[in-house]
Amino acid sequence: MKLLKLVPDDTNIKFLRWRVPFYVVSILLIAASWGLVLTKGLNYGVDFAGGLNITATFTESTEAPVGDLRDTVSELGYGEPVVQRFGDDNQVSIRVPLPDSVEGNPEAAQNIANAIVAELEASFADFRLDGNENVSGKVSDEFRSDAAFALIAAMLAVALYIWIRFEWQFGVGALFALFHDVSLTLGMFSLFQLEFSLQIIAAILAIIGYSLNDTIVVYDRIRENLKKYRKMPTPELLDLSVNETLARTVMTSLTLLIALVPLLAFGPASLFGMVAAITLGIFVGTYSSVYMAAPILIWLGVDSHSFVPTETEADKQDKIARGEA
């Protein structure tokens, strides 16, 4: 049986020829992503925004009565609710801020949730409660700061590891590629106002791991080729290294997408944001390992001397003693 090969073994694609235009586009995308996050903000889930989150399905209707739901919950006097369709058209998520008086009092928060659910069941005959949860404002603040710290610490640890394993230029390149991937993911969530929850933090950490794996594979081949082809110009050597790892990169990404796309199309609505983040991460992580992590090595001065050990005075004396200098 002949093995399936999506990418020939002897590709010779000049990836680095377009490094400047791709860098310009990527920097503009990063700036646009952070512009969206700072101006439009993220649609924080109850984990980060605090309050009650009630999910429900209207079993006899094709569409949930969003306007009537908003009016009904508002009349209870617990604050202005955020009502959004969630998954199918007849499913909704209702977020209600918790008053300061119930801060640190889970029983009081649960009483409010019960009162809202009871009112909705009385007002809508086909209302079916799917779940409800509550998070205090203090806990949600801690979640936000802990999540930000986790992401920054993960990226810095990765950069430090690559610096130690390779050279400092490789650490900078990997850090920039990870910053690119995380920025574009945040930008997507801000643009489409997808719910940003603890699940999405887990997805971003998975993206960091995937992107790092791809980057290290390319970096390993670059290091080997730097030692092997000492006189080859750096852009040609980087192209050669990317081409030599291209089949592995494409097959890994394709295998992951085969698992993710059906889950994205037919999976439960509660997992949609997480799967969408990882799916985007597959694309941007693959792209950044080729067009972010590799070209930056040229501008950071990596060349054929980068992995040559520095000759000490003792080494020189040994050479002289052996008659080699």
Side-chain angles (χ1 to χ4, degrees), residues 18 34-35 42 45 84 86 90 114 120 123 154 157 163 165 193 207 239 253 280 301:
W18 303 100
W34 282 105
L42 293 169
Q84 294 176 316
F86 176 71
N90 63 339
N114 293 339
L120 293 175
S123 301
W163 181 354
R165 179 168 170 176
Q193 287 295 291
I207 291 171
D239 270 339
S253 301
L280 175 70

Side-chain angles (χ1 to χ4, degrees), residues 44-47 49-56 82-84 86 92-98 109-110 113 116-117 129-135 195 197:
Y44 288 119
V46 69
D47 300 332
L52 298 170
N53 185 37
I54 298 169
T55 54
V82 177
V83 182
Q84 294 176 316
F86 176 71
V92 288
S93 164
I94 306 167
R95 293 210 307 270
V96 183
L98 282 171
Q110 190 58 49
I116 293 173
V117 171
L129 177 67
D130 292 336
N132 75 77
E133 54 185 334
N134 70 82
V135 177
E195 186 174 281
S197 62

Side-chain angles (χ1 to χ4, degrees), residues 14-209:
K14 303 296 183 186
F15 290 102
L16 274 292
R17 177 185 297 173
W18 303 100
R19 63 183 182 274
V20 174
F22 276 115
Y23 247 85
V24 172
V25 170
S26 295
I27 290 172
L28 289 176
L29 286 174
I30 291 172
S33 296
W34 282 105
L36 281 169
V37 172
L38 294 175
T39 56
K40 196 172 182 178
L42 293 169
N43 177 23
Y44 288 119
V46 69
D47 300 332
F48 294 135
L52 298 170
N53 185 37
I54 298 169
T55 54
T57 300
F58 287 81
T59 56
E60 303 296 330
S61 308
T62 55
E63 289 190 6
V66 173
D68 292 341
L69 280 169
R70 188 176 293 112
D71 294 340
T72 302
V73 178
S74 294
E75 289 172 1
L76 295 174
Y78 295 121
E80 192 62 27
V82 177
V83 182
Q84 294 176 316
R85 287 200 172 88
F86 176 71
D88 295 334
D89 288 344
N90 63 339
Q91 294 179 307
V92 288
S93 164
I94 306 167
R95 293 210 307 270
V96 183
L98 282 171
D100 295 338
S101 57
V102 304
E103 183 70 37
N105 189 341
E107 186 177 350
Q110 190 58 49
N111 288 337
I112 293 175
N114 293 339
I116 293 173
V117 171
E119 180 62 29
L120 293 175
E121 288 176 336
S123 301
F124 303 94
D126 59 342
F127 176 89
R128 186 190 73 198
L129 177 67
D130 292 336
N132 75 77
E133 54 185 334
N134 70 82
V135 177
S136 73
K138 183 179 178 182
V139 172
S140 63
D141 288 343
E142 290 177 359
F143 279 164
R144 277 205 299 269
S145 58
D146 288 349
F149 176 77
L151 291 179
I152 294 171
M155 288 195 293
L156 291 177
V158 164
L160 181 62
Y161 164 72
I162 293 181
W163 181 354
I164 294 171
R165 179 168 170 176
F166 296 91
E167 295 277 351
W168 68 267
Q169 296 96 329
F170 291 77
V172 173
L175 184 60
F176 186 72
L178 294 179
F179 179 72
H180 166 273
D181 301 344
V182 173
S183 297
L184 265 58
T185 305
L186 293 177
M188 181 188 76
F189 272 82
S190 179
L191 178 63
F192 295 108
Q193 287 295 291
L194 297 173
E195 186 174 281
F196 195 83
S197 62
L198 285 174
Q199 279 187 339
I200 308 307
I201 296 298
I204 293 176
L205 290 172
I207 291 171
I208 290 174

Side-chain angles (χ1 to χ4, degrees), residues 241-265:
S241 304
V242 173
N243 276 288
E244 287 179 347
T245 56
L246 189 61
R248 177 262 174 208
T249 300
V250 171
M251 286 305 297
T252 303
S253 301
L254 187 62
T255 305
L256 289 170
L257 288 174
I258 288 173
L260 286 171
V261 170
L263 195 57
L264 190 65

